[in-house]
Amino acid sequence: MPRGRPRQFDADAALDRALEVFWRKGFDGASLTDLTEAMGINRPSLYACYGDKAALFEKAVDRYLSGPAAPGLRLLAAAPTARDGVAALLAASAAALAAPGNQPTGCLLVHGALSGSGECAGVEDMLAAKRAGTERAIRARIERGLADGDVPAGTDAATLARFYATVLNGLAVQARGGATAADLEAVAGMAMAAWPAGTG
């Protein structure tokens, strides 16, 4: 005899709806009622399929990284030079962060759990680790540029990566505050003026 009843919902589609709730409201602001109503499931189904709220949030974050956040990182890696890659990442992020329509503005990794109840502590650590992954990707591309000769010798890859990761986070904050894609693109362009002179 089969155990229990078969799942009566599309787990991936429900996760996409949970992602949107978390993106709009953050971890602390998204209640279980918000989530279950958006996902079209009840609480027992949520717990059975995804775990607790924190586990659901981490799954939503991973969905975000493999979905809305992925194009910019692909451009970063694929560009012919490190400078081109970082510029493409900033430009793609500027366009996506303030996208018109129904997509939430800002970045889930930045706004997901900036502050809140004690329940957020582990979530904040998880988001910090995910943001650090973006910074590592930028650093790896700069280090590849150093090896290829398109980044000036002696460039501090760690500090330069941290600078552009900070710019990315700042673009997200500005987008959440109402900045347009054009506003963000102008900031991204100015940030590229800080690229080390000499090559690239």
Side-chain angles (χ1 to χ4, degrees), residues 145-193:
L146 280 164
D148 292 345
D150 62 73
V151 174
T155 296
D156 183 338
T159 300
L160 191 61
R162 188 167 298 116
F163 170 75
Y164 284 110
T166 301
V167 171
L168 275 176
N169 293 340
L171 292 177
V173 172
Q174 291 290 318
R176 196 64 172 238
T180 66
D183 294 332
L184 301 182
E185 288 161 4
V187 172
M190 186 167 289
M192 292 312 302

Side-chain angles (χ1 to χ4, degrees), residues 2 7-8 15 32 53 56 77 91 96 99 118 122 156 164 176 183 198:
R7 185 178 297 153
Q8 300 295 320
L15 182 57
L32 284 173
K53 181 181 171 184
L56 172 63
D156 183 338
Y164 284 110
R176 196 64 172 238
D183 294 332

